[in-house]
């Protein structure tokens, strides 16, 4: 997208905007990384391309956030880019543009049915991991008009909660994930990162809130990890390999993975993991893993096995 005035995006922001086509773009951003302005730019770009087909749905977890974050960001960025706009405050609707106009409908996901009756060409869901999945599903289902069918989800990583399980735990083929760091915003004050690090304190908090890396459970998922590349189809037929486990004895989270191994082909495939935070001993966690393996063998091999034989 071409805008007037000073560009406020770095290379990672522009890469997200260049990714077009049906599906979900999930942007995990650090504090001050520019993800909210990126969401506005996504809406403007989509509206200029396909806005004649219908409105774009824009959501926040609550109406105070709609008013204080989303609507303010739309106004500030449109003014910065010299894009005309009109705002109907009571209905939370924007009309954007002068000749090729389109609409942004801003809604709160504080109630699961708050987006009923809307037929949209696309959606921008800000702070998506703070939203109840029971509201996320209907909101995303509102995108069903025209051929664009593009969604953007922006927010700071919030661990591995229900929203993550809904979208990223088992992503669809058209789901694309991006990580934008705080330092990718070239217009932040020079002292912002250092001061934020001092306030956040722990390396885990700094990694998650400034680097956009999800760290809150079961170790770290690195930004360079791409499920489309690294989550390959099984190279060992489920139920035919030798069961082996790998153990990570963390301080807070004990994390064991279960693999099926084909020794002739020198291949292994991870088939499951068992994670427990705190309040456990190695023996207790070993019993949990043994239970998991017993259920897996029953499911894949069709025979029951006692935990003592695992």
């Amino acid at each position: 997208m071409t805008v007037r005035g000073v560009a406020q995006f770095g290379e990672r922001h522009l890469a997200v905007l260049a990714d077009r086509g049906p599906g979900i773009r999930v942007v995990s951003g650090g504090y001050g990384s520019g993800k909210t302005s990126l969401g506005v730019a996504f809406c403007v770009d989509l509206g200029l391309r396909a806005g004649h087909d219908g409105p774009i749905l824009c959501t926040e977890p609550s109406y105070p956030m709609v008013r204080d974050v989303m609507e303010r960001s739309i106004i500030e960025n449109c003014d910065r880019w010299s894009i005309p706009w009109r705002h109907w405050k009571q209905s939370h609707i924007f009309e954007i543009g002068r000749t090729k106009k389109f609409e942004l409908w801003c809604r709160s996901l504080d109630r699961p049915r708050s987006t009923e009756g809307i037929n949209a060409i696309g959606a921008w869901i800000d702070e998506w991991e703070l939203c109840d999945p029971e509201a996320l599903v209907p909101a995303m289902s509102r995108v069903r008009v025209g051929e664009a069918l593009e969604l953007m989800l922006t927010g700071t990583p919030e661990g591995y909660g229900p929203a993550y399980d809904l979208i990223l735990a088992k992503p669809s083929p058209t789901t694309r994930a991006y990580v934008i760091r705080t330092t990718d915003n070239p217009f932040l004050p020079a002292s912002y990162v250092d001061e934020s690090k001092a306030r956040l304190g722990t390396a885990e908090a700094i990694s998650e809130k400034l680097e956009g890396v999800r760290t809150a459970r079961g170790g770290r998922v690195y930004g360079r990890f791409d499920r489309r590349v690294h989550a390959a189809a099984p190279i060992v037929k489920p139920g035919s390999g030798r069961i082996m486990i790998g153990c990570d004895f963390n301080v807070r989270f004990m994390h064991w993975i279960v693999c099926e191994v084909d020794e002739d082909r020198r291949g292994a495939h991870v088939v499951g993991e068992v994670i427990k935070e705190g309040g456990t001993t190695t023996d207790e966690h070993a019993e949990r893993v043994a239970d998991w393996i017993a259920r897996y063998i029953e499911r894949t091999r069709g025979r029951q096995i006692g935990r003592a034989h695992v």
Side-chain angles (χ1 to χ4, degrees):
M1 184 184 69
T2 302
V3 297
R4 300 176 183 175
V6 179
Q8 66 187 74
F9 297 133
E11 292 184 2
R12 295 197 182 201
H13 303 84
L14 297 177
V16 177
L17 291 175
D19 179 3
R20 295 170 175 173
I24 305 170
R25 277 168 279 181
V26 181
V27 180
S28 298
Y31 290 164
S33 60
K35 55 186 178 295
T36 305
S37 294
L38 180 63
V40 178
F42 161 78
C43 292
V44 171
D45 179 64
L46 177 59
L48 291 174
R49 290 186 284 116
H52 58 278
D53 290 330
I56 300 171
L57 175 62
C58 306
T59 74
E60 291 278 3
S62 68
Y63 265 115
M65 295 181 71
V66 169
R67 180 192 64 226
D68 299 334
V69 178
M70 177 167 280
E71 294 183 337
R72 179 172 293 182
S73 294
I74 292 172
I75 292 170
E76 290 177 352
N77 282 291
C78 284
D79 285 345
R80 182 181 297 115
W81 301 331
S82 300
I83 298 175
W85 57 270
R86 293 178 64 191
H87 184 208
W88 287 270
K89 291 185 178 181
Q90 296 300 319
S91 57
H92 301 282
I93 291 176
F94 283 88
E95 181 185 76
I96 308 294
R98 180 176 292 109
T99 56
K100 194 174 182 179
K101 299 178 180 179
F102 57 92
E103 292 183 346
L104 308 181
W105 292 15
C106 302
R107 295 292 184 268
S108 167
L109 295 188
D110 56 348
R111 292 177 291 109
R113 302 177 64 177
S114 60
T115 56
E116 282 192 355
I118 297 176
N119 295 313
I121 63 169
W124 167 35
I125 301 178
D126 193 30
E127 301 298 348
W128 65 281
E129 292 186 78
L130 301 181
C131 299
D132 189 328
E134 291 187 6
L136 272 176
V137 172
M140 297 174 72
S141 299
R142 299 295 103 192
V143 180
R144 56 193 185 193
V145 177
E147 298 182 357
L149 303 179
E150 298 179 25
L151 298 94
M152 178 176 285
L153 279 56
T154 56
T156 303
E158 299 292 339
Y160 293 80
Y164 171 87
D165 291 337
L166 175 68
I167 305 297
L168 289 179
K170 295 181 179 179
S172 68
T174 58
T175 297
R176 290 91 78 188
Y178 293 88
V179 175
I180 298 181
R181 302 165 301 196
T182 299
T183 52
D184 291 325
N185 183 351
F187 295 92
L188 283 176
S191 61
Y192 180 83
V193 173
D194 291 337
E195 292 176 356
S196 296
K197 286 181 178 180
R199 285 191 293 268
L200 290 168
T202 67
E204 182 178 275
I206 291 171
S207 182
E208 187 163 90
K209 304 308 180 186
L210 297 183
E211 298 295 322
V213 177
R214 199 176 303 274
T215 65
R217 196 186 76 186
R220 296 180 178 177
V221 177
Y222 291 93
R224 61 178 177 270
F225 178 81
D226 186 338
R227 287 185 180 274
R228 292 173 294 179
V229 176
H230 302 112
I235 61 173
V236 180
K237 182 179 178 181
S240 63
R242 179 184 178 189
I243 301 293
M244 300 187 71
I245 60 174
C247 311
D248 186 0
F249 299 95
N250 292 318
V251 176
R252 286 180 54 205
F253 296 94
M254 193 172 292
H255 183 190
W256 293 16
I257 61 172
V258 182
C259 305
E260 288 225 39
V261 178
D262 186 331
E263 295 177 339
D264 293 333
R265 298 179 59 189
R266 297 179 62 83
H269 191 79
V270 176
V271 296
E273 59 182 352
V274 182
I275 304 171
K276 182 66 170 64
E277 177 185 7
T280 188
T281 66
T282 301
D283 290 341
E284 290 170 347
H285 197 72
E287 291 180 359
R288 292 189 188 91
V289 177
D291 287 337
W292 193 98
I293 294 174
R295 293 193 299 271
Y296 178 77
I297 290 176
E298 181 179 356
R299 186 173 70 252
T300 58
R301 290 161 169 76
R303 56 190 178 91
Q304 294 186 345
I305 182 170
R307 189 177 64 190
H309 297 90
V310 174

